[in-house]
Structures are given as structure tokens and as C-alpha cells.
Amino acid sequence: MLDDLPGQLAALRSTFDDIRAVVGVERLEKEIAELSEKAGAPDLWDDPEAAQKVTSSLSHRQSELARVTAVQRRLDDLDVLVEMAREMDDADTAAEAEAEFESLKKTVADLEVQTLLDGEYDARSAVVTIRSGAGGDDATDFAEMLMRMYLRWAERHGYPVKVMDTSYAEGAGIKSATFEVDAPYAYGTLSVEAGTHRLARISPFGSADKRQTSFAAVEVIPVMEEAQEVDIPESDIRVDVFRSSGPGGQSVNTTDSAVRITHLPTGLVVSMQNEKSQIQNRAAAMRVLQTRLLLLEKEKEAAKKKELAGVITASWGDQMRSYFLYGQQLVKDLRTGFESGNPATVFDGDLDGFIAAGIRWRKSSHDED
């Protein structure tokens, strides 16, 4: 194989060059420089939420760039190793070069899959919710098995995870759980795991040793960026000034200090008359209007999340993956046909094959549409 390695290595490098172009290494380096400057500002943590966004964005981009530069470095080192093996005609060095080539081939393939993640929200972190479905104790136990599977997958990749909510079942396992995976492209990667998962096994909770089928639903949504302030152009509002009135409609003062602001695009109306001057009432009304528009924006984000999550019933008829833990040990994805004969390793987080197949399947499906 050593004689073939230089040609295979050249082909692998060509594939990697295409990946670098898609990832946009120069753009990443520029964004990292800009974010690093912001992160170094003395007043960064005066606004903790804004600071968190800056540091998180910086960390994500640094991680993405590190993956690409690490592959570049390994390719360069492998060139040297192959040359050494050929010059020295050394079997051990040749075996080391061949093993590194196989490892690099898998790493480049993983990076190539990431270049298929070009959806609007694919680059964002992900919030995963798992809900038990039909199947009683087996279903709640299965839901907990799935949660552990995804947490182990994230751990294998070094992705930070924050468990946000867990609802435990009265018997075994969990009714539901929600956790955030804070990593670049976590949403695009994990979104292919969304759907109904089916488990078939001899139930450990029954006395008759009968086969039990149970279901769990996996929902994946992106972490949406909340608007922290709402910029309201003057052209979007109409301001009416009128006389303040107290209880019983009696005049409180003799100036027209009360303010009514109408937000023309949404029709929201805010009136304010509690302050002493028109300027103060206008400022207070604008603050209330901004808050209402922010809440409206959050409602839109929630609706978008629901649309992205879809409707997952966790029952017969719409399962996307089956796990067989009796007779023939098998995990099979019903969309892609990808399968594994070792369910134990799958439940221990070995999901990359399923995820890569899912991403390629989704991309080809969209291309056909």
C-alpha cells in the first residue's frame, strides 16, 4: 500500500482543500480577530449577557478553525512520514503512515459532512428534548437510555452539555428531559436525530419474558439569539399628545403632557400619563413599547422553534430508527438504511455513522426537491 499512498494522499489533500474553501478559513480568522478584540474590552462584563454571546461566539469559531488547522498539520506531517518510510524502507514507519492515513481519511470525511450543513440555523448550538412515548416503564427507561446515548456522544466529542430539565417517571427512567449542546454546528448535526425512536426487547419489567416494543421522541431545535434591544425607527411610530386626567375625569394639570404612541407596523398602542412632563411620559411609553416588541419577537422565535421541531408522536407509524435488543442485535435507521450490529456501542454514544448518513440523506433529499 505504501507505493499507493502518495497518490491517495494527494487526493485526500485535494478534498481537504475544497473543504477549507467551503469553511472559509480566512473569514474565520477575521471573525476570531474581531471577537478577540471585543472579548478584550475592559467593559466587556458590564453587560454579562452580551459578554456571554461574545465569548461563546469566539469559542465556537476558534473550535471550528482548530479542527481545520489540525487536519492541515496532520496532512503535512503525514507527507514527511510517508517520505521517511519510502527512503528508509522501514516496515514499522510504513505501518504507522498507513494507520495515520486511514485515521485522517475518516477525519476529513467527517469535516466533509460538516460542509453539507448550510441551513439557516445549522451552525448554532442545539437544544434536545427527549420524551417517552407508548410502552409504559419500557418507554421511560428507553427515554433515559437515549438521553445517556446523546450525552455520551457529546462527551466523546468534547462538547459542553447543560441539562436544563428532567422529569423522572414514577417507575423506571424519565418522562422527558431537555439539554443544550453548546458546540458549533450542534443543531445541524443533531437535527437529523429528530423523530420517533423504537426499541424492541425482552422487557426487564415484566414477568412473562415477552417481547416489548416501546417508543421515545427526540426533538432538536436551534438556540435562537434573543434580541436584547429593539430599535424603533421614528417612521414606524405615531405620537399623540393629550391632556392627562385623574380619577373622575378631572384635569390634573393644564398642559398636554400625556403621550400615546402607536407602533404602525404591529398596531401596538402604549399610553403614558403618570410622569410629570411630556418628555418623561414619552420616554416611559417608549420603554414599554420596546418591551412589548421584544416579547412579540420572542413569541415569533418560539413559533419558529415549534415549526423547526415539527410534530413527533412517539408511536407506531412514524419511527425513524429501530433498536433491536433481542435475537439479532441491531440498530437500523429506516431512512438511510445505515445500521450497526453492536447496539451496546451505539447506546454508549457511537452515533457518528448514523449522523453522517442522516446528513447526506437529508442533503440528497433536498437536492431532489
Side-chain angles (χ1 to χ4, degrees), residues 22-325:
V22 173
V23 170
V25 171
E26 290 183 0
R27 172 188 57 80
L28 270 179
E29 290 173 339
K30 182 180 178 182
E31 289 175 355
I32 288 170
E34 292 171 352
L35 288 166
S36 295
E37 187 175 344
K38 289 181 180 178
D43 59 348
L44 175 70
W45 289 98
D46 289 353
D47 184 344
E49 254 182 284
Q52 184 64 43
K53 283 189 176 181
V54 169
T55 55
S56 178
S57 296
L58 177 59
S59 175
H60 283 190
R61 283 161 177 76
Q62 286 174 331
S63 175
E64 192 176 352
L65 181 62
R67 290 184 67 190
V68 175
T69 54
V71 172
Q72 179 72 66
R73 186 167 56 251
R74 288 176 64 188
L75 280 168
D76 293 342
D77 291 345
L78 184 54
D79 274 334
V80 176
L81 193 62
V82 169
E83 191 61 32
M84 284 177 55
R86 296 180 71 185
E87 288 179 0
M88 298 166 57
D89 195 22
D90 179 67
D92 289 342
T93 306
E96 183 183 349
E98 289 169 5
E100 173 63 1
F101 174 76
E102 291 301 322
S103 174
L104 254 177
K105 196 161 68 168
K106 181 182 182 306
T107 302
V108 170
D110 291 343
L111 271 177
E112 190 175 17
V113 168
Q114 184 178 308
T115 64
L116 301 177
L117 301 177
D118 55 1
E120 182 181 359
Y121 301 104
D122 281 354
R124 299 192 181 191
S125 298
V127 173
V128 181
T129 297
I130 299 169
R131 301 191 311 272
S132 62
D137 285 344
D138 280 278
T140 53
D141 186 51
F142 181 36
E144 187 169 41
M145 292 165 66
L146 289 178
M147 180 181 179
R148 180 185 181 277
M149 179 178 77
Y150 291 119
L151 295 183
R152 287 286 292 124
W153 173 82
E155 184 182 329
R156 283 172 174 235
H157 289 275
Y159 297 157
V161 173
K162 178 172 67 177
V163 178
M164 304 164 75
D165 178 63
T166 306
S167 174
Y168 292 96
E170 293 178 4
I174 58 173
K175 294 178 182 177
S176 65
T178 300
F179 54 91
E180 178 182 330
V181 181
D182 184 18
Y185 292 93
Y187 172 67
T189 302
L190 286 172
S191 58
V192 296
E193 290 293 298
T196 298
H197 297 239
R198 171 189 173 220
L199 172 68
R201 64 175 174 179
I202 302 300
S203 174
F205 305 103
S207 56
D209 290 334
K210 290 183 179 179
R211 192 184 80 178
Q212 175 71 37
T213 300
S214 54
F215 300 88
V218 176
E219 173 192 283
V220 185
I221 59 176
V223 174
M224 305 289 275
E225 293 180 4
E226 295 181 357
Q228 293 306 309
E229 56 181 278
V230 179
D231 182 30
I232 306 175
E234 285 291 325
S235 58
D236 282 357
I237 61 173
R238 184 180 72 242
V239 181
D240 297 309
V241 178
F242 59 98
R243 179 162 297 181
S244 298
S245 61
Q250 295 179 3
S251 176
V252 175
N253 53 31
T254 56
T255 61
D256 293 334
S257 61
V259 172
R260 181 187 298 112
I261 299 178
T262 303
H263 187 248
L264 301 175
T266 63
L268 287 174
V269 178
V270 178
S271 297
M272 195 66 60
Q273 61 177 358
N274 293 340
E275 303 295 341
K276 293 181 178 179
S277 73
Q278 184 185 127
I279 293 175
Q280 289 173 314
N281 278 322
R282 179 183 170 119
M286 285 296 291
R287 284 195 299 271
V288 172
L289 179 58
Q290 285 179 319
T291 301
R292 288 189 177 177
L293 288 173
L294 180 58
L295 291 173
L296 188 64
E297 189 63 32
K298 287 184 176 181
E299 287 174 7
K300 288 181 182 177
E301 288 178 358
K304 184 67 174 178
K305 287 181 181 181
K306 188 174 181 180
E307 178 189 333
L308 289 165
V311 178
I312 303 167
T313 60
S315 61
W316 284 103
D318 71 355
Q319 61 264 25
M320 47 77 77
R321 185 177 301 151
S322 293
Y323 305 74
F324 299 97
L325 300 186

